[in-house]
Amino acid sequence: MSTFFTTNRHGYSVRFSPFNPDQFVVASSQFYGLAGGGTLYFLELTPDGCGIVEKRTHHWTDGLFDVTWSESNPEIIVSGSGDGSVQLWNTNVSSNNGPPSMVYREHKKEIYSVDWSKVPYEQLFISASWDSTVKIWDPIRNNSLSTYIGHTQLVYNAVFAAHIPNTFASVSGDGFLKIWDILCYDLPIASIKAHDGEVLTVDWCKHDSNILATGASDGLIRIWDLRNFGVPITELKGNEFAVRKVQFSPHNFSVLASVGYDFTTRIWDFKKSNEAMETIKHHSEFTYGLDWNRRRRNQLADCGWDSLVHVFKPDCLSDKI
């Protein structure tokens, strides 16, 4: 395991580069995101894989809560912040500690989620906000392309489908999971009360476009199939507190990871059991960020409020090829 310490910053999100298996970025905030500024850390694994070096940083005047990498340009990063703005950073243009290339200001409250479309010809990204809306953006335009209004409470997470064009999922404090066609922004194409509590996270299966997972304040992870959307196909149990983020593995169909407010990172195989294959306890505060490395099999990164960023391979996946 390799570890990096974000001094006086608390980790909220971590994302590996889609282009380079050694590069990743961390979005962080001062004072647990309650006050102060935010910092993006551009990090790189050392050649032996045992260390992490800081390549550059960029600062913003408010906390940074999420970050996503462009799927077409290795120099482009988008982040979302507590002041309701989205920042686009171009490392070819911005010097170390320099300002963003573009700032998009339409949301009225905190932005807790940003994501870039995985469909090659869709050069779009999405933002989800505590103002209860989701917006779609073209990075070269100053104004959003469309706004999606359907949740009655703050939207925690919105994620593009991995293989379905023009489609994203969103989850909210209202307990609902909604599926949207970006061309039909008046109403979602599907909607279900996914949890009794607030739904904090959603992700699409990387190998089956009909499968999604949600995680919520009730500590449960539920797996959904769009072909039979009425009830979850399974429910994963074991988290003591809220599930902050869930993400399917890009390498194994039924494997996913989660992080949460019980300071743990858990690895699951929903086809085999509703209990975790492995529970990893290497954080001492809320664990917020999580990402699989698409370019390196079974490698994960996580980050938390203890200012620690870890890159590792779970022991339970060592026999999976």
PDB file of all heavy atoms in Angstrom, residues 108-133:
ATOM      1  N   LYS A 108     -26.944  27.152  -7.271  1.00  0.00           N
ATOM      2  CA  LYS A 108     -27.188  28.073  -6.163  1.00  0.00           C
ATOM      3  C   LYS A 108     -26.619  27.584  -4.832  1.00  0.00           C
ATOM      4  O   LYS A 108     -26.530  28.352  -3.869  1.00  0.00           O
ATOM      5  CB  LYS A 108     -28.694  28.302  -5.995  1.00  0.00           C
ATOM      6  CG  LYS A 108     -29.405  28.764  -7.274  1.00  0.00           C
ATOM      7  CD  LYS A 108     -28.787  30.037  -7.839  1.00  0.00           C
ATOM      8  CE  LYS A 108     -29.547  30.493  -9.080  1.00  0.00           C
ATOM      9  NZ  LYS A 108     -28.894  31.667  -9.717  1.00  0.00           N
ATOM     10  N   LYS A 109     -26.246  26.310  -4.774  1.00  0.00           N
ATOM     11  CA  LYS A 109     -25.697  25.747  -3.533  1.00  0.00           C
ATOM     12  C   LYS A 109     -24.527  24.819  -3.864  1.00  0.00           C
ATOM     13  O   LYS A 109     -24.106  24.714  -5.016  1.00  0.00           O
ATOM     14  CB  LYS A 109     -26.792  24.997  -2.761  1.00  0.00           C
ATOM     15  CG  LYS A 109     -27.886  25.897  -2.213  1.00  0.00           C
ATOM     16  CD  LYS A 109     -28.885  25.109  -1.374  1.00  0.00           C
ATOM     17  CE  LYS A 109     -29.956  26.020  -0.801  1.00  0.00           C
ATOM     18  NZ  LYS A 109     -30.953  25.268   0.015  1.00  0.00           N
ATOM     19  N   GLU A 110     -24.025  24.138  -2.865  1.00  0.00           N
ATOM     20  CA  GLU A 110     -22.855  23.285  -3.006  1.00  0.00           C
ATOM     21  C   GLU A 110     -23.011  22.275  -4.139  1.00  0.00           C
ATOM     22  O   GLU A 110     -24.093  21.721  -4.353  1.00  0.00           O
ATOM     23  CB  GLU A 110     -22.600  22.520  -1.702  1.00  0.00           C
ATOM     24  CG  GLU A 110     -22.153  23.367  -0.540  1.00  0.00           C
ATOM     25  CD  GLU A 110     -23.304  23.820   0.346  1.00  0.00           C
ATOM     26  OE1 GLU A 110     -24.421  24.000  -0.205  1.00  0.00           O
ATOM     27  OE2 GLU A 110     -23.094  23.983   1.559  1.00  0.00           O
ATOM     28  N   ILE A 111     -21.912  22.026  -4.841  1.00  0.00           N
ATOM     29  CA  ILE A 111     -21.851  20.962  -5.839  1.00  0.00           C
ATOM     30  C   ILE A 111     -21.122  19.786  -5.204  1.00  0.00           C
ATOM     31  O   ILE A 111     -19.964  19.906  -4.816  1.00  0.00           O
ATOM     32  CB  ILE A 111     -21.139  21.426  -7.117  1.00  0.00           C
ATOM     33  CG1 ILE A 111     -21.962  22.524  -7.799  1.00  0.00           C
ATOM     34  CG2 ILE A 111     -20.916  20.249  -8.067  1.00  0.00           C
ATOM     35  CD1 ILE A 111     -21.272  23.167  -8.969  1.00  0.00           C
ATOM     36  N   TYR A 112     -21.820  18.658  -5.116  1.00  0.00           N
ATOM     37  CA  TYR A 112     -21.252  17.499  -4.430  1.00  0.00           C
ATOM     38  C   TYR A 112     -20.813  16.400  -5.387  1.00  0.00           C
ATOM     39  O   TYR A 112     -20.239  15.406  -4.950  1.00  0.00           O
ATOM     40  CB  TYR A 112     -22.277  16.948  -3.440  1.00  0.00           C
ATOM     41  CG  TYR A 112     -21.760  16.871  -2.028  1.00  0.00           C
ATOM     42  CD1 TYR A 112     -21.138  17.966  -1.436  1.00  0.00           C
ATOM     43  CD2 TYR A 112     -21.882  15.705  -1.278  1.00  0.00           C
ATOM     44  CE1 TYR A 112     -20.659  17.909  -0.150  1.00  0.00           C
ATOM     45  CE2 TYR A 112     -21.400  15.654   0.017  1.00  0.00           C
ATOM     46  CZ  TYR A 112     -20.794  16.745   0.573  1.00  0.00           C
ATOM     47  OH  TYR A 112     -20.310  16.675   1.864  1.00  0.00           O
ATOM     48  N   SER A 113     -21.087  16.581  -6.691  1.00  0.00           N
ATOM     49  CA  SER A 113     -20.773  15.515  -7.631  1.00  0.00           C
ATOM     50  C   SER A 113     -20.524  16.086  -9.017  1.00  0.00           C
ATOM     51  O   SER A 113     -21.268  16.951  -9.484  1.00  0.00           O
ATOM     52  CB  SER A 113     -21.940  14.515  -7.680  1.00  0.00           C
ATOM     53  OG  SER A 113     -21.807  13.600  -8.747  1.00  0.00           O
ATOM     54  N   VAL A 114     -19.458  15.619  -9.679  1.00  0.00           N
ATOM     55  CA  VAL A 114     -19.204  15.895 -11.090  1.00  0.00           C
ATOM     56  C   VAL A 114     -18.785  14.585 -11.755  1.00  0.00           C
ATOM     57  O   VAL A 114     -18.162  13.728 -11.127  1.00  0.00           O
ATOM     58  CB  VAL A 114     -18.123  16.980 -11.305  1.00  0.00           C
ATOM     59  CG1 VAL A 114     -18.643  18.350 -10.904  1.00  0.00           C
ATOM     60  CG2 VAL A 114     -16.841  16.648 -10.544  1.00  0.00           C
ATOM     61  N   ASP A 115     -19.137  14.445 -13.040  1.00  0.00           N
ATOM     62  CA  ASP A 115     -18.786  13.224 -13.761  1.00  0.00           C
ATOM     63  C   ASP A 115     -18.696  13.541 -15.238  1.00  0.00           C
ATOM     64  O   ASP A 115     -19.460  14.367 -15.759  1.00  0.00           O
ATOM     65  CB  ASP A 115     -19.835  12.133 -13.517  1.00  0.00           C
ATOM     66  CG  ASP A 115     -19.398  10.778 -14.046  1.00  0.00           C
ATOM     67  OD1 ASP A 115     -18.246  10.383 -13.787  1.00  0.00           O
ATOM     68  OD2 ASP A 115     -20.206  10.121 -14.729  1.00  0.00           O
ATOM     69  N   TRP A 116     -17.755  12.888 -15.926  1.00  0.00           N
ATOM     70  CA  TRP A 116     -17.550  13.085 -17.358  1.00  0.00           C
ATOM     71  C   TRP A 116     -18.147  11.901 -18.108  1.00  0.00           C
ATOM     72  O   TRP A 116     -18.014  10.752 -17.686  1.00  0.00           O
ATOM     73  CB  TRP A 116     -16.064  13.177 -17.666  1.00  0.00           C
ATOM     74  CG  TRP A 116     -15.756  13.875 -18.970  1.00  0.00           C
ATOM     75  CD1 TRP A 116     -15.912  13.360 -20.225  1.00  0.00           C
ATOM     76  CD2 TRP A 116     -15.260  15.197 -19.131  1.00  0.00           C
ATOM     77  NE1 TRP A 116     -15.537  14.289 -21.164  1.00  0.00           N
ATOM     78  CE2 TRP A 116     -15.134  15.429 -20.524  1.00  0.00           C
ATOM     79  CE3 TRP A 116     -14.901  16.222 -18.257  1.00  0.00           C
ATOM     80  CZ2 TRP A 116     -14.658  16.631 -21.056  1.00  0.00           C
ATOM     81  CZ3 TRP A 116     -14.441  17.416 -18.774  1.00  0.00           C
ATOM     82  CH2 TRP A 116     -14.317  17.614 -20.157  1.00  0.00           C
ATOM     83  N   SER A 117     -18.816  12.173 -19.239  1.00  0.00           N
ATOM     84  CA  SER A 117     -19.441  11.105 -20.014  1.00  0.00           C
ATOM     85  C   SER A 117     -18.403  10.095 -20.491  1.00  0.00           C
ATOM     86  O   SER A 117     -17.328  10.466 -20.968  1.00  0.00           O
ATOM     87  CB  SER A 117     -20.177  11.685 -21.217  1.00  0.00           C
ATOM     88  OG  SER A 117     -20.664  10.639 -22.047  1.00  0.00           O
ATOM     89  N   LYS A 118     -18.747   8.815 -20.375  1.00  0.00           N
ATOM     90  CA  LYS A 118     -17.854   7.741 -20.805  1.00  0.00           C
ATOM     91  C   LYS A 118     -18.043   7.383 -22.271  1.00  0.00           C
ATOM     92  O   LYS A 118     -17.267   6.594 -22.831  1.00  0.00           O
ATOM     93  CB  LYS A 118     -18.093   6.489 -19.946  1.00  0.00           C
ATOM     94  CG  LYS A 118     -18.027   6.721 -18.446  1.00  0.00           C
ATOM     95  CD  LYS A 118     -16.690   7.278 -18.015  1.00  0.00           C
ATOM     96  CE  LYS A 118     -16.564   7.334 -16.491  1.00  0.00           C
ATOM     97  NZ  LYS A 118     -17.509   8.305 -15.874  1.00  0.00           N
ATOM     98  N   VAL A 119     -19.104   7.907 -22.908  1.00  0.00           N
ATOM     99  CA  VAL A 119     -19.344   7.635 -24.327  1.00  0.00           C
ATOM    100  C   VAL A 119     -18.417   8.526 -25.149  1.00  0.00           C
ATOM    101  O   VAL A 119     -18.427   9.753 -24.989  1.00  0.00           O
ATOM    102  CB  VAL A 119     -20.813   7.897 -24.691  1.00  0.00           C
ATOM    103  CG1 VAL A 119     -21.046   7.650 -26.182  1.00  0.00           C
ATOM    104  CG2 VAL A 119     -21.723   7.000 -23.859  1.00  0.00           C
ATOM    105  N   PRO A 120     -17.577   7.954 -26.031  1.00  0.00           N
ATOM    106  CA  PRO A 120     -16.496   8.711 -26.670  1.00  0.00           C
ATOM    107  C   PRO A 120     -16.929   9.992 -27.368  1.00  0.00           C
ATOM    108  O   PRO A 120     -16.237  11.013 -27.286  1.00  0.00           O
ATOM    109  CB  PRO A 120     -15.906   7.701 -27.658  1.00  0.00           C
ATOM    110  CG  PRO A 120     -16.200   6.371 -27.054  1.00  0.00           C
ATOM    111  CD  PRO A 120     -17.523   6.520 -26.374  1.00  0.00           C
ATOM    112  N   TYR A 121     -18.059   9.977 -28.088  1.00  0.00           N
ATOM    113  CA  TYR A 121     -18.431  11.169 -28.858  1.00  0.00           C
ATOM    114  C   TYR A 121     -19.200  12.192 -28.020  1.00  0.00           C
ATOM    115  O   TYR A 121     -19.503  13.267 -28.500  1.00  0.00           O
ATOM    116  CB  TYR A 121     -19.244  10.779 -30.092  1.00  0.00           C
ATOM    117  CG  TYR A 121     -20.560  10.085 -29.799  1.00  0.00           C
ATOM    118  CD1 TYR A 121     -21.705  10.813 -29.459  1.00  0.00           C
ATOM    119  CD2 TYR A 121     -20.657   8.698 -29.886  1.00  0.00           C
ATOM    120  CE1 TYR A 121     -22.897  10.176 -29.199  1.00  0.00           C
ATOM    121  CE2 TYR A 121     -21.862   8.057 -29.630  1.00  0.00           C
ATOM    122  CZ  TYR A 121     -22.977   8.803 -29.287  1.00  0.00           C
ATOM    123  OH  TYR A 121     -24.167   8.165 -29.022  1.00  0.00           O
ATOM    124  N   GLU A 122     -19.514  11.874 -26.765  1.00  0.00           N
ATOM    125  CA  GLU A 122     -20.204  12.829 -25.900  1.00  0.00           C
ATOM    126  C   GLU A 122     -19.178  13.606 -25.073  1.00  0.00           C
ATOM    127  O   GLU A 122     -18.717  13.141 -24.029  1.00  0.00           O
ATOM    128  CB  GLU A 122     -21.170  12.106 -24.952  1.00  0.00           C
ATOM    129  CG  GLU A 122     -22.410  11.563 -25.605  1.00  0.00           C
ATOM    130  CD  GLU A 122     -23.357  10.915 -24.603  1.00  0.00           C
ATOM    131  OE1 GLU A 122     -23.017  10.816 -23.406  1.00  0.00           O
ATOM    132  OE2 GLU A 122     -24.447  10.501 -25.025  1.00  0.00           O
ATOM    133  N   GLN A 123     -18.791  14.762 -25.534  1.00  0.00           N
ATOM    134  CA  GLN A 123     -17.848  15.587 -24.789  1.00  0.00           C
ATOM    135  C   GLN A 123     -18.642  16.459 -23.799  1.00  0.00           C
ATOM    136  O   GLN A 123     -18.766  17.667 -23.951  1.00  0.00           O
ATOM    137  CB  GLN A 123     -17.024  16.433 -25.749  1.00  0.00           C
ATOM    138  CG  GLN A 123     -16.129  15.617 -26.654  1.00  0.00           C
ATOM    139  CD  GLN A 123     -15.194  14.698 -25.882  1.00  0.00           C
ATOM    140  OE1 GLN A 123     -14.487  15.141 -24.978  1.00  0.00           O
ATOM    141  NE2 GLN A 123     -15.196  13.425 -26.219  1.00  0.00           N
ATOM    142  N   LEU A 124     -19.160  15.794 -22.779  1.00  0.00           N
ATOM    143  CA  LEU A 124     -20.049  16.432 -21.820  1.00  0.00           C
ATOM    144  C   LEU A 124     -19.633  16.048 -20.408  1.00  0.00           C
ATOM    145  O   LEU A 124     -19.065  14.980 -20.175  1.00  0.00           O
ATOM    146  CB  LEU A 124     -21.502  15.976 -22.038  1.00  0.00           C
ATOM    147  CG  LEU A 124     -22.109  16.177 -23.424  1.00  0.00           C
ATOM    148  CD1 LEU A 124     -23.465  15.499 -23.490  1.00  0.00           C
ATOM    149  CD2 LEU A 124     -22.235  17.665 -23.736  1.00  0.00           C
ATOM    150  N   PHE A 125     -19.945  16.942 -19.452  1.00  0.00           N
ATOM    151  CA  PHE A 125     -19.838  16.552 -18.048  1.00  0.00           C
ATOM    152  C   PHE A 125     -21.100  16.994 -17.315  1.00  0.00           C
ATOM    153  O   PHE A 125     -21.899  17.790 -17.812  1.00  0.00           O
ATOM    154  CB  PHE A 125     -18.560  17.084 -17.391  1.00  0.00           C
ATOM    155  CG  PHE A 125     -18.470  18.577 -17.252  1.00  0.00           C
ATOM    156  CD1 PHE A 125     -19.009  19.237 -16.154  1.00  0.00           C
ATOM    157  CD2 PHE A 125     -17.809  19.346 -18.202  1.00  0.00           C
ATOM    158  CE1 PHE A 125     -18.912  20.608 -16.011  1.00  0.00           C
ATOM    159  CE2 PHE A 125     -17.707  20.724 -18.080  1.00  0.00           C
ATOM    160  CZ  PHE A 125     -18.264  21.356 -16.970  1.00  0.00           C
ATOM    161  N   ILE A 126     -21.266  16.441 -16.127  1.00  0.00           N
ATOM    162  CA  ILE A 126     -22.497  16.621 -15.367  1.00  0.00           C
ATOM    163  C   ILE A 126     -22.149  17.118 -13.968  1.00  0.00           C
ATOM    164  O   ILE A 126     -21.082  16.784 -13.430  1.00  0.00           O
ATOM    165  CB  ILE A 126     -23.267  15.280 -15.312  1.00  0.00           C
ATOM    166  CG1 ILE A 126     -24.688  15.459 -14.812  1.00  0.00           C
ATOM    167  CG2 ILE A 126     -22.533  14.262 -14.465  1.00  0.00           C
ATOM    168  CD1 ILE A 126     -25.528  14.197 -14.991  1.00  0.00           C
ATOM    169  N   SER A 127     -23.034  17.932 -13.393  1.00  0.00           N
ATOM    170  CA  SER A 127     -22.851  18.398 -12.014  1.00  0.00           C
ATOM    171  C   SER A 127     -24.151  18.208 -11.254  1.00  0.00           C
ATOM    172  O   SER A 127     -25.243  18.406 -11.791  1.00  0.00           O
ATOM    173  CB  SER A 127     -22.429  19.874 -11.982  1.00  0.00           C
ATOM    174  OG  SER A 127     -23.407  20.693 -12.606  1.00  0.00           O
ATOM    175  N   ALA A 128     -24.043  17.804  -9.986  1.00  0.00           N
ATOM    176  CA  ALA A 128     -25.197  17.603  -9.110  1.00  0.00           C
ATOM    177  C   ALA A 128     -25.014  18.452  -7.861  1.00  0.00           C
ATOM    178  O   ALA A 128     -23.923  18.506  -7.288  1.00  0.00           O
ATOM    179  CB  ALA A 128     -25.343  16.132  -8.739  1.00  0.00           C
ATOM    180  N   SER A 129     -26.099  19.094  -7.431  1.00  0.00           N
ATOM    181  CA  SER A 129     -25.975  20.133  -6.412  1.00  0.00           C
ATOM    182  C   SER A 129     -26.999  19.985  -5.294  1.00  0.00           C
ATOM    183  O   SER A 129     -28.069  19.383  -5.460  1.00  0.00           O
ATOM    184  CB  SER A 129     -26.126  21.507  -7.076  1.00  0.00           C
ATOM    185  OG  SER A 129     -26.241  22.546  -6.124  1.00  0.00           O
ATOM    186  N   TRP A 130     -26.655  20.616  -4.195  1.00  0.00           N
ATOM    187  CA  TRP A 130     -27.586  20.708  -3.071  1.00  0.00           C
ATOM    188  C   TRP A 130     -28.752  21.652  -3.365  1.00  0.00           C
ATOM    189  O   TRP A 130     -29.671  21.767  -2.564  1.00  0.00           O
ATOM    190  CB  TRP A 130     -26.838  21.172  -1.820  1.00  0.00           C
ATOM    191  CG  TRP A 130     -25.992  20.094  -1.218  1.00  0.00           C
ATOM    192  CD1 TRP A 130     -25.619  18.914  -1.781  1.00  0.00           C
ATOM    193  CD2 TRP A 130     -25.412  20.098   0.088  1.00  0.00           C
ATOM    194  NE1 TRP A 130     -24.835  18.190  -0.921  1.00  0.00           N
ATOM    195  CE2 TRP A 130     -24.679  18.895   0.225  1.00  0.00           C
ATOM    196  CE3 TRP A 130     -25.403  21.015   1.136  1.00  0.00           C
ATOM    197  CZ2 TRP A 130     -23.982  18.569   1.393  1.00  0.00           C
ATOM    198  CZ3 TRP A 130     -24.699  20.701   2.295  1.00  0.00           C
ATOM    199  CH2 TRP A 130     -24.004  19.487   2.429  1.00  0.00           C
ATOM    200  N   ASP A 131     -28.761  22.316  -4.524  1.00  0.00           N
ATOM    201  CA  ASP A 131     -29.928  23.112  -4.905  1.00  0.00           C
ATOM    202  C   ASP A 131     -31.008  22.238  -5.558  1.00  0.00           C
ATOM    203  O   ASP A 131     -31.985  22.755  -6.116  1.00  0.00           O
ATOM    204  CB  ASP A 131     -29.541  24.266  -5.836  1.00  0.00           C
ATOM    205  CG  ASP A 131     -28.972  23.803  -7.177  1.00  0.00           C
ATOM    206  OD1 ASP A 131     -29.037  22.600  -7.504  1.00  0.00           O
ATOM    207  OD2 ASP A 131     -28.446  24.657  -7.923  1.00  0.00           O
ATOM    208  N   SER A 132     -30.813  20.900  -5.494  1.00  0.00           N
ATOM    209  CA  SER A 132     -31.772  19.885  -5.970  1.00  0.00           C
ATOM    210  C   SER A 132     -31.795  19.739  -7.484  1.00  0.00           C
ATOM    211  O   SER A 132     -32.686  19.076  -8.027  1.00  0.00           O
ATOM    212  CB  SER A 132     -33.202  20.184  -5.468  1.00  0.00           C
ATOM    213  OG  SER A 132     -33.238  20.257  -4.062  1.00  0.00           O
ATOM    214  N   THR A 133     -30.822  20.301  -8.189  1.00  0.00           N
ATOM    215  CA  THR A 133     -30.785  20.184  -9.643  1.00  0.00           C
ATOM    216  C   THR A 133     -29.536  19.451 -10.113  1.00  0.00           C
ATOM    217  O   THR A 133     -28.535  19.351  -9.398  1.00  0.00           O
ATOM    218  CB  THR A 133     -30.827  21.568 -10.331  1.00  0.00           C
ATOM    219  OG1 THR A 133     -29.584  22.244 -10.111  1.00  0.00           O
ATOM    220  CG2 THR A 133     -31.983  22.409  -9.816  1.00  0.00           C
TER     221      THR A 133
END
